[in-house]
Amino acid sequence: IFVFIFAEAVPLFRGAKGERLGKISLAGVRGGTPHGTPLAFGADEYQKYLYELTADAHLVVFRLADGTTHREMPLPGVEGTAITSASRALAGDSLAAGTADGRVALSLVRFRPVFEGQVLKDLDIDLRPKGVIAIDAAQRPIREVVSQVSAEGETLVAALVGDDEIVLARVGEAPEGEPAPEPALETLRTRDGEKVTHVRLGRSALVAGTELG
């Protein structure tokens, strides 16, 4: 027993490290259109599929084994709208996509394992809409957006809409099949108009990086 506990504890005393496991070439999307810079991406816990959120408001799912396209799904609520920024929450597969007209679309990528006997055969994948928030009354493009979902199901969104302007939105969880409740919005500005370059959310904090460091 001591040897087992020791072997399990040893990694805790070593520094963290990352290593490259491989490289895949992804297929083009919708008729072979080349990929641009990914706005947001993620993978399932079984490492069978990788998904990417594209600038034309689609979620494209690829097979990790060979990079071929598995399926494509339009982003609910903002079909046909240009996506200017997006992010994936740190926990889970919750996505926030900022649009060119000042909105943020929230959605959740869900993977459900399909077993044949005791063997994993495949995964069912769907995209669950979580609501669309009108962040900016002036309909300016969302420059950067991040989100976080609490243990209670509340979603916190931070969106950069101007050089010195960040909008915070809090949205409660809605029962499946029902519309999301109205968000509570709050606008924050930097002192003396200092330009914001990036925004990030922690568990209980908003961090904004500026051009002055």
Side-chain angles (χ1 to χ4, degrees):
I1 294 176
F2 172 77
V3 173
F4 173 78
I5 295 175
F6 178 77
E8 291 295 309
V10 165
L12 299 177
F13 298 95
R14 295 175 178 168
K17 67 176 183 178
E19 60 183 38
R20 176 177 168 177
L21 298 178
K23 178 182 178 180
I24 60 171
S25 296
L26 300 179
V29 295
R30 278 174 300 290
T33 303
H35 288 271
T37 302
L39 295 177
F41 60 91
D44 68 275
E45 62 178 309
Y46 299 97
Q47 297 185 5
K48 293 178 69 68
Y49 296 102
L50 178 145
Y51 61 82
E52 174 187 355
L53 189 59
T54 62
D56 62 350
H58 280 77
L59 186 82
V60 186
V61 182
F62 303 93
R63 298 178 183 88
L64 270 173
D66 56 12
T68 57
T69 303
H70 174 63
R71 65 178 300 192
E72 300 180 17
M73 294 170 277
L75 198 59
V78 291
E79 296 89 340
T81 305
I83 303 300
T84 53
S85 58
S87 66
R88 173 180 175 271
L90 294 177
D93 292 286
S94 296
L95 300 176
T99 70
D101 59 4
R103 295 178 293 161
V104 170
L106 303 175
S107 56
L108 175 66
V109 183
R110 297 193 296 185
F111 297 96
R112 291 191 293 268
V114 177
F115 290 95
E116 198 169 82
Q118 299 296 319
V119 179
L120 177 66
K121 181 182 179 182
D122 203 353
L123 299 174
D124 280 339
I125 307 168
D126 64 17
L127 186 59
R128 178 185 175 187
K130 303 287 284 186
V132 178
I133 307 171
I135 288 286
D136 185 30
Q139 298 186 344
R140 291 169 291 180
I142 304 297
R143 302 183 184 187
E144 189 169 27
V145 61
V146 289
S147 67
Q148 179 177 284
V149 182
S150 71
E152 294 75 28
E154 181 186 63
T155 300
L156 177 64
V157 177
L160 181 61
V161 297
D163 285 348
D164 63 343
E165 191 175 345
I166 300 168
V167 177
L168 285 178
R170 294 182 182 273
V171 187
E173 184 177 29
E176 190 166 0
E178 296 186 14
E182 286 296 316
L185 301 178
E186 181 180 0
T187 300
L188 306 176
R189 287 183 171 85
T190 58
R191 294 179 180 176
D192 303 321
E194 189 172 343
K195 184 177 180 179
V196 177
T197 54
H198 293 289
V199 292
R200 293 293 183 269
L201 283 173
R203 289 190 176 184
S204 59
L206 166 68
V207 179
T210 72
E211 62 180 351
L212 299 181

